């Protein structure tokens, strides 16, 4: 079955002028969607408007769940990873990757998985190396890997990293990339390829970001006192945990200390949510009648924060399984003065 090609582009420092120059040379008849990640963090983004002013291909911020259409540019919105799953765009507030959200790697990995040989990945100007792993996955799945010539980039680190770690199909100055993309889309649009199988991550590889609720096992358990990594060891039949600072715990004490720390963090989150609700309420009351729409948004944000504060508080106060207490001696007159039994 003929499948539509898809173009994914990643950029960071110096990315706005580079992206504007690239899209200015793309035709409105482009027979492929273009997905763009620029490192903007949680800051407000005007990138779609800037791209619309630069070229004829319509650009917009991606919306969660929307289908992907050729001849459109979809931009990752602030503070959200963008991925492709089941032919649709998904926006995720998952963990930051390479200190960035949105990050380039999650998008590139998902497109490598969903489109395989029909994926065209492009790394433009930027610092550090976000996008290298994702571009490697695109190349591994039979897609096309393109890097801006580092000597042509305002910030060469990102494209240089891609060139150092991925066997690029093309390494070109920015001015030559649009024409290449047009030729690749025209060539790929006419060929039949098999739908790639979804991959499960192999041992030692980073799991792909998705919208499931599963968690990978932590690399280590950390010390409730200092946050350092804990090493598990045994003394006879006793299981102990210790960190390099010198804090040490038996398994039972460790479990209790970990639970106390968890409860503290969750109750702090309840407090922050409650304070957010109050702050938003004050902002709503400050707006007045003249700014009714804005005031309504602040009221809605206040109600949302308060609702989540109640839900989190209820979660904290539920009964929790505590196997660490199952072997604790019963309190008797003989041992009631030994506080260690109650710690």
């Amino acid at each position: 079955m003929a499948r539509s090609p898809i173009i994914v582009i990643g950029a960071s420092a110096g990315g706005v002028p580079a992206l504007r120059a690239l899209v200015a040379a793309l035709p409105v008849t482009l027979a492929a969607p273009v997905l763009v990640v620029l490192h903007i963090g949680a800051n407000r983004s005007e990138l779609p408007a800037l791209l619309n002013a630069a070229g004829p291909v319509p650009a917009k911020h991606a919306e969660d769940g929307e289908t992907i259409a050729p001849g459109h540019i979809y931009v990752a919105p602030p503070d959200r990873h963008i991925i492709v799953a089941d032919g649709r765009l998904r926006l995720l507030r998952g963990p930051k990757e390479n200190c960035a959200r949105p990050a380039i790697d999650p998008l590139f990995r998902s497109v490598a998985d969903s489109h395989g040989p029909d994926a065209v990945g492009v790394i433009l100007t930027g610092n550090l190396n976000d996008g290298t792993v994702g571009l490697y996955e695109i190349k591994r799945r039979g897609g096309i890997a393109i890097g801006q010539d580092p000597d042509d980039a305002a910030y060469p680190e990102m494209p240089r990293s891609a060139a150092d770690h991925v066997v690029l199909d093309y390494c070109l100055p920015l001015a030559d990339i649009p024409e290449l993309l047009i030729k690749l889309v025209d060539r790929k649009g006419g060929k039949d390829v098999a739908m790639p199988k979804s991959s499960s991550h192999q041992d030692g590889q980073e799991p792909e970001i998705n919208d499931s609720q599963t968690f990978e096992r932590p690399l280590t358990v950390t010390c409730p006192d200092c946050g350092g990594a804990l090493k598990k060891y045994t003394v006879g039949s006793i299981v102990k945990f210790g960190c390099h600072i010198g804090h040490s715990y038996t398994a039972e004490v460790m479990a209790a200390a970990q639970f106390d720390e968890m409860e503290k963090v969750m109750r702090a989150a309840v407090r922050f949510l409650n304070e957010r609700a109050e702050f938003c309420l004050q902002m709503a009351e400050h707006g007045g009648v003249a700014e009714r729409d804005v005031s309504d948004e602040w009221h809605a944000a206040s109600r949302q924060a308060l609702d989540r504060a109640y839900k989190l508080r209820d979660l904290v106060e539920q009964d929790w399984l505590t196997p660490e207490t199952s072997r604790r001696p019963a309190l008797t007159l003989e041992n009631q003065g030994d506080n260690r039994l109650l710690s």
Side-chain angles (χ1 to χ4, degrees):
M1 182 177 78
R3 286 177 49 80
S4 173
I6 183 170
I7 299 170
V8 287
I9 303 174
S12 186
V16 172
L19 287 166
R20 293 192 70 199
L22 191 155
V23 302
L26 295 178
V28 70
T29 56
L30 186 71
V34 180
L35 280 56
V36 175
V37 172
L38 177 69
H39 289 164
I40 55 172
N43 300 306
R44 181 175 178 177
S45 171
E46 300 292 343
L47 185 58
L50 293 172
L51 298 184
N52 281 323
V57 183
K60 65 186 290 291
H61 277 131
E63 299 178 27
D64 188 47
E66 70 177 316
T67 54
I68 309 170
H72 289 75
I73 298 172
Y74 302 92
V75 178
D79 203 32
R80 293 293 185 275
H81 295 307
I82 177 177
I83 67 167
V84 175
D86 299 323
R88 296 179 180 272
L89 297 176
R90 298 304 311 272
L91 302 181
L92 308 175
R93 199 173 183 278
K96 292 182 179 180
E97 294 202 29
N98 300 306
C99 301
R101 188 177 57 228
I104 301 166
D105 279 336
L107 171 62
F108 278 33
R109 288 199 309 267
S110 72
V111 169
D113 186 56
S114 61
H115 284 73
D118 291 302
V120 178
V122 183
I123 295 294
L124 301 179
T125 173
N127 289 320
L128 302 178
N129 58 7
D130 187 27
T132 296
V133 173
L135 192 65
Y136 174 84
E137 286 300 312
I138 287 177
K139 177 69 176 180
R140 187 173 71 86
R141 297 300 190 86
I144 301 295
I146 302 171
Q148 182 179 2
D149 185 343
D151 293 335
D152 177 67
Y155 296 84
E157 288 186 20
M158 238 164 60
R160 181 172 291 129
S161 173
D164 287 344
H165 297 283
V166 182
V167 181
L168 298 178
D169 295 288
Y170 303 92
C171 183
L172 302 171
L174 178 66
D176 295 336
I177 293 178
E179 182 180 359
L180 172 63
L181 294 178
I182 295 168
K183 291 179 178 179
L184 290 173
V185 168
D186 290 343
R187 189 180 76 194
K188 283 179 170 291
K191 72 175 184 178
D192 293 343
V193 295
M195 180 66 180
K197 296 179 180 179
S198 296
S199 68
S200 57
H201 68 279
Q202 300 174 1
D203 291 342
Q205 290 185 338
E206 185 177 359
E208 298 181 11
I209 289 185
N210 53 51
D211 58 347
S212 70
Q213 298 300 311
T214 59
F215 290 95
E216 292 296 312
R217 292 184 64 170
L219 297 177
T220 188
V221 177
T222 55
C223 175
D225 279 307
C226 69
L230 287 172
K231 181 179 180 180
K232 176 184 173 183
Y233 59 98
T234 58
V235 179
S237 61
I238 301 172
V239 178
K240 295 199 70 175
F241 292 82
C243 71
H244 66 92
I245 295 298
H247 301 123
S248 64
Y249 315 84
T250 61
E252 293 77 14
V253 173
M254 170 64 190
Q258 186 186 59
F259 187 90
D260 288 345
E261 186 65 19
M262 179 189 70
E263 183 177 9
K264 184 193 303 181
V265 170
M266 293 175 72
R267 289 195 182 277
V270 172
R271 174 175 63 83
F272 279 116
L273 284 167
N274 203 32
E275 290 177 2
R276 173 173 172 79
E278 174 59 24
F279 168 76
C280 292
L281 184 60
Q282 291 183 16
M283 292 301 297
E285 294 170 345
H286 174 75
V289 178
E291 301 178 359
R292 178 59 60 192
D293 291 342
V294 176
S295 178
D296 289 344
E297 290 182 6
W298 283 114
H299 273 296
S302 176
R303 290 193 297 271
Q304 181 193 63
L306 196 59
D307 176 66
R308 293 180 178 180
Y310 282 128
K311 289 178 179 177
L312 184 55
R313 186 192 65 182
D314 291 343
L315 178 63
V316 177
E317 295 179 355
Q318 288 179 7
D319 288 333
W320 292 76
L321 297 175
T322 55
E324 64 270 18
T325 65
S326 61
R327 296 186 181 182
R328 185 173 291 177
L331 183 63
T332 66
L333 290 175
E334 287 76 18
N335 63 30
Q336 61 181 330
D338 190 348
N339 292 329
R340 290 173 297 175
L341 297 175
L342 304 177
S343 62

